[in-house]
């Protein structure tokens, strides 16, 4: 029986001709595989009509509903009979139904396990008779497990692929039936067609081929309450932007004063704050942070792009299993190190900004206002993306891939609230609403914990470093123990428990504290020992520092590469347990050297490049880019209705595609949400900038050896309304010296 089922799967998948009639007259469109009477798609309607006759005799007709869809078995049978008769009469409208079915699965043995057919043609299909018949597209799943088990593998299969390649279990086939047919009815007809050719014994009766969630027909859009709210909200935002810009323009022409609240949404005011770049020689500015932030942001989009790229309907999907063995793939497999760059900068800037505030207030820190300002600066853009996902997102695309990838709204249905209070990394680690927002949750939680480290550092100086280092080591030990207890491997692609690994070692705040604390410690020493002056160092020491830093980063990135090669034995568990925490801390220390060397004039060309003015403007968009980019990637991928090709070149093309749309959307989001919130906040809570303390005052104010100003990505000299956002919290720690305003 199992052998018969394997034969069935192959025959069905390659749309083998059926029937004994002469098919010479049917070779009209191709010379080798006709889509006319000899194809399974066409014969399905003849067989379905036979099934309908049997159902009528046994009175098994039912009426079903699913969401807003109504199904009627009797109408389904009527429509199928009419389609069958019209196909036999070669009527174009009826031929469109079988014409849209998936056909030959090219590259089946290279992992191409989907034949989508023609979605748009199916849902647009309609009868020309008085009886209305509309097409309904379904993505059916056919079990091919038995067939693949019977295939005799080539001898070198396992030597050329180190990552666990498993045989596919399902082939997905696009089919088109009348919209009056429910998924259950369609599955019954499909199974009847298979049984007709291959007998009762070959059909696995418990396997579900067709589900309502993967069927769709063209229906009028019925807006829900949240959809209407979203449309009104976005319309109001655009109206505010236009009205505020007009007011700004009129007042500028008149030379009249402007009310801050009325120009909060003005594009004329906010756009220059993004795109105007002024080179400022200010000790409060660490220019190289802008370049580090921008490159890390591009790396994040690059890595997430490959995650989405893998899920596309590639005709050569099995190339992935050899791709993971290439040195180039390490940029993706170890790409999460860029997140540690963000955590390091977050800790550094948070410490620096808090110390400047405590210096101004003689050691006091307004913790409630510090939390409040941080929340209202982070949340608007996140809330807008959540609103879009839960409302207009479902109208952003359709098709077979949308069934598979366009499911973000379902993830948000129960978890949106956790995202808005930044606890999603613990509350819903398996279904985070905005998947990459786990970082915002971790960074926000660290920001809320920061007074536990800042106040002791301010009061007791270096003495407070001892318990901080102990906490750092304990957290490193916790990650090590988690790896050992759960048998996690060196590479995620080789792990059998990737989701559990993410929940226990990637998302939790306690596993991210070490790199953040390294940033805090660097910030402390930069503020107390290095602020406003450059520490001289001999050229040999500088070269040694750069050599060690780059060597460490290369080791973190490509050090374990040899372990994934086919002829290399798998790494012992203890190797992965050591590598995970130590590689992240080593990376953070190397980033620390880059920041220190660039700030002290030892950066050379590296500092010149990272401090390029272009990165200053770009960095002001990074927060919105981080929040938005993943949904852009998923929408672009889910809208696909054709096959793709897996290669690095194709992935880079898609990266530029996603990056460009993300950048455009981020400019709008910054002008529409982020910058206005900063303007409103400044108008309500803003205070005059404090007078710069003299060196003598600095020495009195801080219980440590302070020498000069501060070091943030861009302070007073930069446009505050955009740059002050989310200083230490988001992937764009921007310039904010006052944590009570962060």
């Amino acid at each position: 029986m199992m052998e018969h089922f394997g034969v069935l799967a192959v025959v069905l998948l390659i749309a083998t001709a059926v029937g004994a009639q002469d098919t010479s007259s049917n070779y009209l469109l191709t010379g080798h595989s006709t889509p006319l009477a000899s194809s399974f798609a066409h014969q399905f309607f003849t067989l379905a009509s036979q099934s309908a006759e049997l159902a009528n005799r046994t009175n098994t007709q039912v009426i079903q509903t699913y969401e807003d869809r109504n199904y009627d078995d009797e109408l389904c049978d009527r429509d199928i009979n009419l389609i069958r008769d019209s196909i036999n009469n070669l009527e174009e409208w009826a031929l469109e139904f079988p014409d849209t079915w998936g056909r030959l699965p090219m590259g089946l043995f290279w992992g191409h396990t989907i034949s989508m057919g023609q979605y748009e043609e199916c849902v647009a299909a309609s009868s020309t008779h008085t009886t209305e018949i509309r097409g309904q597209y379904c993505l059916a799943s056919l079990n091919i497990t038995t067939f693949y088990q019977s295939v005799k593998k080539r001898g070198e299969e396992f030597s050329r692929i180190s990552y666990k390649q498993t045989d596919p279990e399902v082939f997905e086939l696009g089919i088109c039936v009348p919209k009056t047919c429910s998924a259950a009815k369609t599955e019954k007809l499909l199974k009847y067609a298979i049984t007709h050719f291959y007998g009762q014994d070959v059909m696995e009766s418990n396997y579900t081929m067709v589900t309502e969630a993967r069927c769709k027909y063209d229906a009028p859009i019925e807006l829900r309450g949240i959809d209407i709210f979203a449309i009104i909200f976005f319309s109001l935002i655009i109206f505010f932007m236009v009205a505020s810009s007009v007011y700004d323009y009129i007042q500028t022409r008149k030379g009249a004063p402007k009310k801050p609240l009325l120009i909060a949404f003005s594009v004329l005011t906010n756009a220059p704050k993004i795109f105007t770049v002024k080179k400022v020689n200010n000790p409060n500015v660490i220019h190289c942070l802008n370049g580090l932030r921008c490159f890390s942001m591009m790396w994040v989009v690059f890595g997430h792009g490959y995650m989405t790229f893998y899920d596309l309907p590639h005709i050569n999907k099995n190339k992935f299993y050899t791709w993971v063995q290439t040195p180039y793939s390490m940029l993706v497999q170890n790409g999460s190190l860029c997140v540690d760059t963000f955590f390091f900068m977050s800790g550094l800037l948070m410490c620096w900004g808090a110390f400047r505030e405590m210096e101004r207030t003689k050691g006091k820190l307004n913790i409630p206002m510090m939390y409040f300002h941080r929340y209202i600066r982070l949340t608007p853009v996140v809330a807008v993306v959540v609103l879009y996902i839960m409302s207009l997102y479902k109208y952003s695309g359709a098709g077979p891939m949308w069934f598979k990838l366009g499911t973000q709204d379902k993830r948000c249905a129960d978890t949106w609230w956790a995202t808005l209070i930044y606890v999603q990394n613990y509350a819903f680690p398996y279904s985070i609403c905005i998947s990459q927002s786990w970082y915002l949750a971790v960074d926000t939680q660290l920001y809320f914990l920061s007074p536990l480290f800042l106040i002791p550092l301010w009061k007791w100086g270096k003495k407070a470093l001892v318990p901080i280092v102990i906490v750092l080591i304990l957290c490193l030990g916790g990650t090590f123990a988690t790896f050992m207890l759960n048998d996690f491997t060196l590479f995620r692609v080789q792990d059998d428990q990737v989701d559990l690994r993410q929940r226990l070692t990637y998302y939790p705040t306690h596993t991210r504290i070490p790199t953040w604390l390294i940033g805090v410690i660097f910030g402390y020493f930069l503020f107390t020992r290095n602020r406003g002056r450059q520490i001289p160092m001999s050229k040999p020491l500088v070269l040694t520092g750069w050599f060690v830093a780059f060597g460490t980063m290369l080791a973190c990135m490509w050090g374990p590469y040899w372990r994934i090669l086919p002829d290399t034995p798998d790494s012992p568990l203890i190797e992965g347990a050591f590598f995970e925490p130590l590689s992240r801390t080593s990376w953070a220390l190397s980033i620390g050297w880059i920041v220190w060397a660039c700030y002290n004039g030892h950066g050379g060309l590296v500092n010149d490049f990272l401090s390029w003015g272009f990165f200053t403007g770009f960095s002001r968009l990074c927060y919105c880019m981080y929040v938005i980019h993943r949904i852009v990637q998923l929408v672009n991928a889910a809208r696909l209705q054709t096959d793709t090709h897996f290669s690095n070149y194709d992935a880079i093309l898609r990266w530029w595609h996603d990056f460009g749309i993300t950048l455009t959307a981020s400019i709008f989001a910054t002008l529409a949400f982020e910058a206005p919130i900063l303007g409103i906040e400044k108008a309500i809570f803003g205070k005059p900038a404090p007078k710069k303390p003299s060196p003598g005052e600095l020495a009195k104010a801080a219980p440590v050896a302070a020498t000069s100003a501060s070091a943030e990505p861009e302070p007073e000299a930069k446009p505050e309304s955009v740059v002050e956002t989310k200083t230490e919290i988001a992937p764009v720690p921007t310039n904010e010296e006052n944590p009570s305003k962060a």
Side-chain angles (χ1 to χ4, degrees):
M1 181 188 78
M2 300 302 284
E3 292 180 357
H4 288 165
F5 185 74
V7 174
L8 156 67
V10 179
V11 173
L12 181 59
L13 294 181
I14 64 175
T16 301
V18 296
Q21 71 271 25
D22 178 20
T23 60
S24 60
S25 62
N26 291 325
Y27 284 77
L28 300 178
L29 301 185
T30 66
H32 54 85
S33 178
T34 172
L36 297 179
S38 62
S39 73
F40 180 81
H42 286 71
Q43 291 297 318
F44 167 83
F45 291 95
T46 300
L47 298 170
S49 297
Q50 296 176 8
S51 174
E53 293 175 3
L54 293 175
N56 287 330
R57 292 187 204 133
T58 56
N59 271 329
T60 57
Q61 308 285 25
V62 295
I63 297 177
Q64 300 180 20
T65 60
Y66 174 79
E67 294 182 349
D68 57 344
R69 311 179 209 168
N70 295 315
Y71 300 108
D72 189 318
D73 283 1
E74 186 174 347
L75 294 179
C76 174
D77 293 337
R78 179 204 66 185
D79 294 344
I80 283 185
N81 288 335
L82 185 55
I83 292 174
R84 176 202 59 189
D85 295 339
S86 300
I87 287 175
N88 293 337
N89 198 34
L90 291 181
E91 296 182 31
E92 182 179 2
W93 73 267
L95 291 171
E96 287 180 346
F97 279 83
D99 184 52
T100 62
W101 280 47
R103 293 296 201 284
L104 179 68
M106 297 179 298
L108 182 64
F109 292 98
W110 273 53
H112 185 217
T113 55
I114 183 171
S115 183
M116 294 181 284
Q118 231 291 20
Y119 170 83
E120 290 185 351
E121 182 184 6
C122 175
V123 296
S126 61
S127 66
T128 57
H129 294 275
T130 54
T131 302
E132 182 188 31
I133 301 177
R134 301 299 300 268
Q136 175 179 223
Y137 179 93
C138 292
L139 190 63
S141 300
L142 309 179
N143 192 314
I144 57 175
T145 304
T146 305
F147 165 68
Y148 259 93
Q149 290 175 348
S150 65
V151 172
K152 298 177 178 61
K153 306 292 192 303
R154 53 166 71 96
E156 72 272 17
E157 185 75 15
F158 294 102
S159 64
R160 70 184 178 92
I161 295 177
S162 61
Y163 174 45
K164 294 170 296 214
Q165 179 184 357
T166 58
D167 293 336
E169 298 179 356
V170 171
F171 183 88
E172 295 171 307
L173 180 69
I175 63 176
C176 188
V177 295
K179 75 171 189 177
T180 50
C181 299
S182 65
K185 176 70 171 180
T186 302
E187 173 161 340
K188 181 180 178 181
L189 297 176
L190 192 57
K191 287 183 176 180
Y192 176 83
I194 295 172
T195 304
H196 174 81
F197 289 112
Y198 306 104
Q200 296 285 345
D201 295 337
V202 298
M203 175 52 57
E204 188 176 335
S205 58
N206 294 328
Y207 186 80
T208 302
M209 293 185 178
V210 186
T211 62
E212 303 287 1
R214 290 198 170 192
C215 289
K216 185 175 177 61
Y217 59 81
D218 195 12
I221 295 176
E222 296 183 4
L223 295 178
R224 303 164 297 174
I226 193 171
D227 301 333
I228 297 172
F229 172 79
I231 293 172
I232 294 174
F233 173 78
F234 288 117
S235 300
L236 284 175
I237 291 296
I238 294 174
F239 171 77
F240 290 154
M241 293 173 68
V242 173
S244 183
S245 299
V246 170
Y247 169 80
D248 191 359
Y249 176 77
I250 292 174
Q251 295 301 96
T252 301
R253 290 293 300 268
K254 290 180 178 180
K258 306 170 185 177
K259 295 182 179 180
L261 284 176
L262 296 183
I263 61 171
F265 284 87
S266 173
V267 176
L268 300 179
T269 295
N270 294 329
K273 295 175 183 178
I274 301 175
F275 302 109
T276 301
V277 177
K278 297 178 181 179
K279 185 70 174 179
V280 180
N281 292 320
N282 191 317
N284 295 324
V285 179
I286 305 178
H287 291 289
C288 68
L289 290 182
N290 291 322
L292 288 172
R293 185 181 304 118
C294 293
F295 272 103
S296 297
M297 186 65 250
M298 290 188 286
W299 197 359
V300 167
V301 179
F302 176 78
H304 286 162
Y306 261 95
M307 290 170 56
T308 308
F309 188 61
Y310 170 74
D311 291 325
L312 300 186
H314 300 303
I315 60 174
N316 60 334
K317 196 166 188 176
N318 284 358
K319 290 288 286 185
F320 168 78
Y321 301 108
T322 52
W323 173 83
V324 295
Q325 299 170 7
T326 63
Y328 179 84
S329 73
M330 293 295 107
L331 290 171
V332 179
Q333 296 194 62
N334 289 326
S336 60
L337 289 170
C338 64
V339 179
D340 295 286
T341 302
F342 283 134
F343 280 121
F344 171 85
M345 291 193 295
S346 171
L348 187 156
L349 293 172
M350 185 277 305
C351 180
W352 192 292
F355 271 32
R356 292 196 67 185
E357 172 68 1
M358 288 190 284
E359 179 182 72
R360 186 179 69 83
T361 59
K362 296 181 171 53
K364 296 180 181 178
L365 200 60
N366 190 339
I367 295 176
M369 288 302 292
M370 171 179 160
Y371 291 163
F372 172 74
H373 286 300
R374 175 54 61 93
Y375 182 81
I376 65 172
R377 291 192 173 193
L378 274 184
T379 308
V381 176
V382 175
V384 166
V385 174
V386 170
L387 175 62
Y388 164 74
I389 292 175
M390 297 184 67
S391 58
L392 304 182
Y393 169 78
K394 66 178 295 185
Y395 309 112
S396 301
M401 292 304 296
W402 195 267
F403 296 142
K404 297 159 65 69
L405 300 178
T407 58
Q408 290 301 299
D409 52 339
K410 295 179 178 60
R411 293 167 65 96
C412 287
D414 299 320
T415 67
W416 61 270
W417 60 268
T419 302
L420 296 182
I421 61 174
Y422 304 104
V423 296
Q424 63 270 38
N425 60 322
Y426 285 110
F428 299 101
Y430 295 128
S431 56
I432 297 176
C433 178
I434 305 173
S435 59
Q436 76 278 15
S437 68
W438 69 268
Y439 170 85
L440 301 180
V442 172
D443 213 11
T444 300
Q445 292 160 23
L446 290 174
Y447 188 82
F448 273 66
L449 293 173
S450 62
L452 298 177
F453 304 100
L454 293 173
I455 295 174
L457 274 175
W458 177 263
K459 288 185 176 180
W460 301 309
K462 289 188 291 186
K463 294 179 182 178
L465 292 177
V466 175
I468 289 177
V469 171
I470 291 175
V471 171
L472 189 155
I473 293 173
L474 288 176
C475 290
L476 291 176
T479 303
F480 175 87
T482 302
F483 262 68
M484 294 299 294
L485 291 174
N486 293 277
D487 297 337
F488 294 146
T489 59
L490 179 61
F491 292 100
R492 265 182 289 188
V493 294
Q494 292 179 323
D495 212 315
D496 291 325
Q497 310 174 80
V498 175
D499 289 340
L500 181 64
R501 177 187 179 127
Q502 296 288 91
R503 181 175 74 83
L504 296 180
T505 68
Y506 195 78
Y507 298 150
T509 301
H510 59 271
T511 64
R512 296 297 183 169
I513 285 180
T515 52
W516 183 80
L517 284 179
I518 290 173
V520 171
I521 294 170
F522 263 80
Y524 167 77
F525 281 106
L526 279 174
F527 184 88
T528 60
R529 299 287 188 268
N530 201 179
R531 186 168 60 143
R533 71 186 182 97
Q534 293 186 345
I535 298 176
M537 181 178 283
S538 65
K539 193 170 184 178
L541 283 178
V542 171
L543 292 175
T544 301
W546 281 106
F547 178 80
V548 172
F550 279 145
T552 301
M553 296 174 79
L554 290 173
C556 292
M557 183 65 62
W558 280 283
Y561 165 66
W562 68 284
R563 279 294 192 185
I564 207 169
L565 297 177
D567 299 326
T568 304
D570 291 338
S571 61
L573 293 178
I574 195 171
E575 185 175 326
F578 272 118
F579 181 80
E580 178 74 10
L582 294 183
S583 64
R584 298 190 180 283
T585 53
S586 301
W587 182 271
L589 290 170
S590 300
I591 296 295
W593 164 262
I594 294 175
V595 173
W596 185 88
C598 290
Y599 186 72
N600 285 280
H602 307 306
L605 292 175
V606 174
N607 182 51
D608 292 340
F609 181 67
L610 293 178
S611 304
W612 182 24
F614 169 78
F615 292 134
T616 302
F618 186 12
S619 67
R620 297 167 186 166
L621 301 170
C622 283
Y623 174 66
C624 286
M625 290 188 67
Y626 183 82
V627 177
I628 292 172
H629 79 277
R630 195 75 183 105
I631 197 67
V632 170
Q633 291 175 331
L634 290 171
V635 168
N636 288 344
R639 287 176 55 86
L640 278 175
Q641 297 183 25
T642 57
D643 294 331
T644 53
H645 182 265
F646 185 91
S647 72
N648 289 324
Y649 184 77
D650 291 290
I652 292 172
L653 287 179
R654 179 159 287 276
W655 177 81
W656 277 110
H657 177 206
D658 295 337
F659 188 83
I661 297 177
T662 300
L663 181 62
T664 303
S666 299
I667 293 173
F668 174 78
T670 302
L671 294 175
F673 307 108
E674 187 177 9
I677 288 295
L678 293 174
I680 293 171
E681 180 197 28
K682 186 176 180 181
I684 297 175
F685 300 101
K687 298 177 182 178
K691 185 178 72 174
K692 259 187 166 181
S694 66
E697 292 171 332
L698 291 176
K700 293 177 183 178
V704 287
T707 18
S708 213
S710 157
E712 291 238 287
E714 298 278 354
E716 310 109 41
K718 243 187 196 180
E720 286 182 323
S721 62
V722 173
V723 183
E724 284 184 347
T725 65
K726 299 147 254 40
T727 311
E728 310 89 4
I729 267 207
V732 305
T734 55
N735 71 307
E736 176 51 59
E737 67 265 15
N738 184 347
S740 295
K741 297 179 183 178

